[in-house]
Amino acid sequence: MGLDEHVLLIAPGHGNSGRGHWQTLLERAHPKAVRVEQKIWNAPIRRLWTAALDRTVKASRRRRFLVGHSAGVSTIVQWATRYPSPAHVVGALLVAPPDMEITLPGFPPAWVLRLVGWAPIPRQKLPWKTFGRRQ
């Protein structure tokens, strides 16, 4: 079964992904891509971001492959440890996971990330096959 038969759930990071971003290009190129929409893109709050991912995952029973970038990776990992993983999620591509336990350029300070639930970072194995790339 190829990726064309799966729904790709695109989980962008802090600030969303712009027009030329690889996630946006992938979304346009894949016939069944769906972007996880966040209400507040520049103030990531774990509870809200993981709930949005959960709603998007559960919106259909079609096989899903998750594609996360930056804070989108953190959203996928935090979601996987807090919500039961549906059988129709078959894997994930995780690109450039941020270290949400330290202060990073462009992100809120580490103490704020901890306060809104991003830290500590879960370290358990995810329930499906994953592919990753660190920058």
Side-chain angles (χ1 to χ4, degrees), residues 59-72:
S60 166
R61 287 273 156 226
R62 297 186 69 137
R63 293 172 65 85
R64 300 189 175 294
F65 190 87
L66 309 177
V67 180
H69 178 257
S70 189

Side-chain angles (χ1 to χ4, degrees), residues 82-104:
R82 288 177 165 73
Y83 292 84
S85 182
H88 63 281
V89 173
V90 296
L93 173 64
L94 308 173
V95 179
D99 185 345
M100 299 289 241
E101 294 176 339
I102 64 172
T103 299
L104 296 168

